[in-house]
Amino acid sequence: MTSQTEFIPFPSRRSVVHSTNGMVACTQPLAASCGLKILASGGNAADAAVAVAAGMNMAEPCSTGIGGDMFCLYYDAKTKKVSALNGSGRSGAKCTLKTIRGDLKLEDGQSGEIPMTSVHSVTVPGAPAGWADTVAIFGSGKLSLEEILAPAAEMGERGFPVSELTAHFWASGENKLRKASSNFSEMLKEDPSVGDGFRAPKAGELFKNPNLARTFKTLGKEGKKGFYTGRIANEFVKVVQDLGGHLELEDLVHHMELGTERVDPISLTFNDEVEVWEHPPNGQGIVALMALGILEELERSGKIPKFANMKHNSTEYLHAIVEALHISFADATWWVTDSNEVDVPTKQLISREYLAERAKLFDPTKASHIQHHGSPAHNHSDTVYFAVSDRDGNAVSFINSNYGGFGMAAIPHGCGFTLQNRGANFSLDESHPNVLAPRKRPYHTIIPALVTNKYDGSLHSIYGVMGGFMQPQGHVQVLLNQLAFKHNPQKALDAPRFCIGAGMPDAGEVTGQIVYLEDGIEEKVVDELRSMGHNVELVRGIKRSLFGRGQLIRSRMEGEQVVYSAGSDLRGDGGAFPAW
């Protein structure tokens, strides 16, 4: 059933999709249908986004799920206000640095990290509360959570054909599922012809997940209490503790009672044209804002030409963005952590004064290999992303993730979902701001983006590029594709990208010095970047998944009518789907 073993070569054959009644852009057509059903039933963008999130969990569990975390940015068309929800979970009350270092057999003074396959990487799932709170806070009020989750639950009960790339990634994670817990068969397909009778589903094959459907129904009927207490919570804690973890029922109840955190989104005005909105730390969206601010300072100072005068993906263009991101990541890997636990100088990090100072580290002639963070306080200065809009002009930029593929991959008995491994991002260095501590949230890679027009606050676009530490890098590149090179939404996503580092911790050094360039970037540019001191590797074929999978919905007004134009990444299975 596989149509092609490698990704489609450039250019994409996908066209921009237009609509006036709303749009869903995601990597799974079946998940999009869940959202479109909700829009057709009178729900708004927020209601539809939660339906898509559940549908994505069902159709692409190797990337996302109810056992993970979520973040969203919501644009209210009436007020032109951008709001944010942080749906990330925390470590357990008994997850002290001393306890976890001891469990990992680390001696005093010995450096180390939490393995992505370790039960100690599991944090409390924030997605269930996040879904419920998204509907409660931003929803239309016309549909219940039970109604919103019903299309995805029906998919799990009736069975659904598995999409092409999802089948590839599901197969890649099969052994991880098997090793993580004894309940692995819940998320594999029964097949008497193979060893133990279970395997990953192949492209086009039907897969049923009645246990996940039951989980959705419980959350829908009982709300957050149905997940964070009772049967699901008990099974969650049991599988964690059976594996030697320290999460307890009280940790789940604690998260339920706190609820999803409403936070003030952070923004940066870019080129006096648009305002770019991101989540504040513990999310890494600040990396994108810092990089954009540094690039703007480089333009102002004349260190680089105006972007409009550069050739797209030329040597000078890529060198400038790579260096700006290196500087930004150097700061973020130190400063991004739970801002409720640590004083993170967010405003100073994206201030013009600080970014101008950091921009001085840029050398237009060579790679600088910057690894040290700045001190603004002293200067006084596989995840899924999807986008949903509705006929009234409201829009949601939404992201949900297990972190690394299936996450830690353990499955609570009878629940049909895997546990995330977000805790692997904690530092085990007691002097680090992102150090592990009880009931703390780690550095988070998943970030939605939203752009408004500076002149009137109207919606410009919602977009995101999933893929670990690739995400802020994708945000910068896709935005510049639109603004500097006037790419339409599909072309902005199709264009070859670069990624600093491996993207995910289990693939290599995530913010290391290797610059991965995607097939489609000229060989001449590759050679010239190497001559400047960049450690460059060219990536082809299926390995291009490193560069993430993005979705983008542009918005404009034609008279009194909102018109949406959307693109969906050719590196994923899905597309952009209009509501009618």
Side-chain angles (χ1 to χ4, degrees):
M1 297 298 292
T2 300
S3 63
Q4 194 165 331
T5 57
E6 298 285 334
F7 283 128
I8 301 168
F10 296 102
S12 168
R13 296 294 298 167
R14 296 182 181 182
S15 300
V16 176
V17 178
H18 306 281
S19 174
T20 57
N21 286 337
M23 188 82 72
V24 178
C26 66
T27 57
Q28 293 297 324
L30 293 175
S33 72
C34 294
L36 294 174
K37 285 181 181 179
I38 298 306
L39 290 175
S41 299
N44 68 1
D47 298 327
V50 172
V52 174
M56 292 295 299
N57 182 180
M58 190 64 73
E60 195 176 318
C62 46
S63 300
T64 186
I66 198 169
D69 288 340
M70 59 73 64
F71 289 77
C72 78
L73 292 170
Y74 181 77
Y75 180 81
D76 187 310
K78 289 183 179 179
T79 63
K80 296 185 177 180
K81 180 182 179 181
V82 180
S83 302
L85 287 182
N86 180 335
S88 60
R90 298 167 174 81
S91 55
K94 292 187 176 179
C95 296
T96 65
L97 180 63
K98 181 179 180 181
T99 296
I100 301 306
R101 285 184 63 90
D103 287 353
L104 295 174
K105 304 294 190 293
L106 294 174
E107 301 292 337
D108 290 345
Q110 181 183 357
S111 62
E113 57 189 23
I114 300 174
M116 294 184 73
T117 54
S118 168
V119 70
H120 300 310
S121 68
V122 178
T123 48
V124 174
W131 296 359
D133 290 331
T134 297
V135 171
I137 297 170
F138 302 129
S140 65
K142 298 177 181 178
L143 299 170
S144 66
L145 182 60
E146 183 177 9
E147 291 172 308
I148 289 167
L149 296 178
E154 185 180 355
M155 279 176 58
E157 291 172 335
R158 294 175 56 185
F160 58 92
V162 175
S163 61
E164 186 175 339
L165 291 177
T166 297
H168 171 83
F169 295 124
W170 206 321
S172 298
E174 180 179 338
N175 287 336
K176 190 175 180 181
L177 284 173
R178 291 178 180 279
K179 293 176 181 179
S181 70
S182 60
N183 306 318
F184 64 85
S185 63
E186 290 189 32
M187 294 183 65
L188 294 176
K189 185 177 177 66
E190 190 170 358
D191 183 350
S193 69
V194 298
D196 60 4
F198 297 94
R199 59 168 172 79
K202 298 176 182 178
E205 287 187 332
L206 289 177
F207 184 77
K208 294 182 179 181
N209 193 338
N211 289 333
L212 182 56
R214 184 183 174 198
T215 295
F216 287 168
K217 287 185 173 182
T218 301
L219 178 64
K221 289 179 181 178
E222 302 177 25
K224 289 182 279 188
K225 187 175 181 181
F227 187 95
Y228 293 98
T229 67
R231 177 186 66 87
I232 298 171
N234 287 327
E235 293 297 343
F236 180 98
V237 171
K238 183 179 186 304
V239 73
V240 168
Q241 293 188 352
D242 285 350
L243 293 169
H246 303 287
L247 286 171
E248 297 184 330
L249 286 172
E250 290 78 6
D251 297 315
L252 299 181
V253 173
H254 175 259
H255 187 85
M256 177 186 71
E257 292 176 344
L258 280 179
T260 309
E261 185 180 8
R262 298 193 71 165
V263 296
D264 293 327
I266 56 176
S267 67
L268 180 135
T269 301
F270 184 69
N271 275 0
D272 206 35
E273 179 181 358
V274 297
E275 191 163 5
V276 185
W277 299 84
E278 297 275 1
H279 261 268
N282 60 320
Q284 64 172 347
I286 197 170
V287 173
L289 298 185
M290 292 179 67
L292 289 169
I294 290 170
L295 289 169
E296 196 166 28
E297 292 299 329
L298 293 176
E299 269 194 339
R300 286 176 179 172
S301 65
K303 279 193 169 184
I304 62 173
K306 295 290 185 183
F307 281 111
N309 297 330
M310 291 191 201
K311 180 182 176 183
H312 182 256
N313 278 352
S314 63
T315 302
E316 64 179 352
Y317 173 75
L318 291 177
H319 174 65
I321 304 176
V322 166
E323 291 296 286
L325 281 163
H326 266 311
I327 295 167
S328 303
F329 269 123
D331 279 338
T333 52
W334 180 262
W335 289 113
V336 173
T337 186
D338 189 344
S339 57
N340 291 327
E341 301 293 328
V342 177
D343 185 15
V344 180
T346 302
K347 289 184 179 179
Q348 294 95 324
L349 285 167
I350 55 175
S351 68
R352 293 294 182 192
E353 296 80 9
Y354 180 68
L355 295 176
E357 193 65 30
R358 294 296 275 169
K360 293 177 182 177
L361 297 171
F362 174 77
D363 186 329
T365 65
K366 64 180 181 180
S368 51
H369 304 300
I370 295 152
Q371 293 180 313
H372 57 277
H373 64 84
S375 300
H378 297 161
N379 292 342
H380 306 291
S381 34
D382 286 346
T383 299
V384 295
Y385 169 82
F386 53 90
V388 182
S389 60
D390 62 34
R391 69 182 63 210
D392 296 319
N394 305 307
V396 181
S397 187
F398 200 108
I399 198 157
N400 206 114
S401 176
N402 298 325
Y403 191 32
F406 282 108
M408 184 262 158
I411 302 169
H413 177 69
C415 296
F417 65 86
T418 56
L419 309 185
Q420 67 177 344
N421 52 1
R422 188 62 59 179
N425 272 350
F426 277 122
S427 170
L428 296 180
D429 177 357
E430 63 181 355
S431 67
H432 199 289
N434 189 42
V435 65
L436 172 67
R439 290 187 174 163
K440 183 179 179 181
R441 298 179 300 194
Y443 181 120
H444 232 290
T445 58
I446 64 174
I447 48 170
L450 189 151
V451 183
T452 54
N453 294 302
K454 186 194 172 187
Y455 71 93
D456 67 350
S458 61
L459 181 66
H460 176 279
S461 58
I462 50 174
Y463 77 108
V465 180
M466 65 193 82
F469 291 83
M470 173 63 200
Q471 292 178 57
Q473 305 181 57
H475 284 199
V476 171
Q477 293 173 71
V478 172
L479 183 68
L480 289 175
N481 288 348
Q482 295 179 80
L483 299 182
F485 301 102
K486 308 305 178 186
H487 288 180
N488 67 40
Q490 189 59 54
K491 187 176 180 181
L493 293 168
D494 287 348
R497 299 197 276 260
F498 71 83
C499 178
I500 301 169
M504 292 296 293
D506 52 0
E509 183 65 32
V510 291
T511 55
Q513 296 299 318
I514 297 178
V515 180
Y516 296 94
L517 301 180
E518 189 170 16
D519 188 16
I521 292 175
E522 296 178 5
E523 290 282 353
K524 173 188 174 185
V525 172
V526 176
D527 293 339
E528 288 175 347
L529 286 172
R530 284 176 177 154
S531 70
M532 297 174 77
H534 291 285
N535 184 2
V536 175
E537 291 187 17
L538 196 61
V539 180
R540 297 184 171 90
I542 199 73
K543 292 181 179 180
R544 284 166 50 208
S545 60
L546 165 69
F547 302 103
R549 296 169 291 163
Q551 314 296 332
L552 168 61
I553 299 176
R554 283 286 303 273
S555 174
R556 66 180 177 85
M557 296 299 296
E558 191 165 315
E560 297 298 315
Q561 178 66 60
V562 62
V563 180
Y564 298 113
S565 302
S568 182
D569 209 313
L570 83 166
R571 301 163 188 82
D573 281 320
F577 304 90
W580 186 251

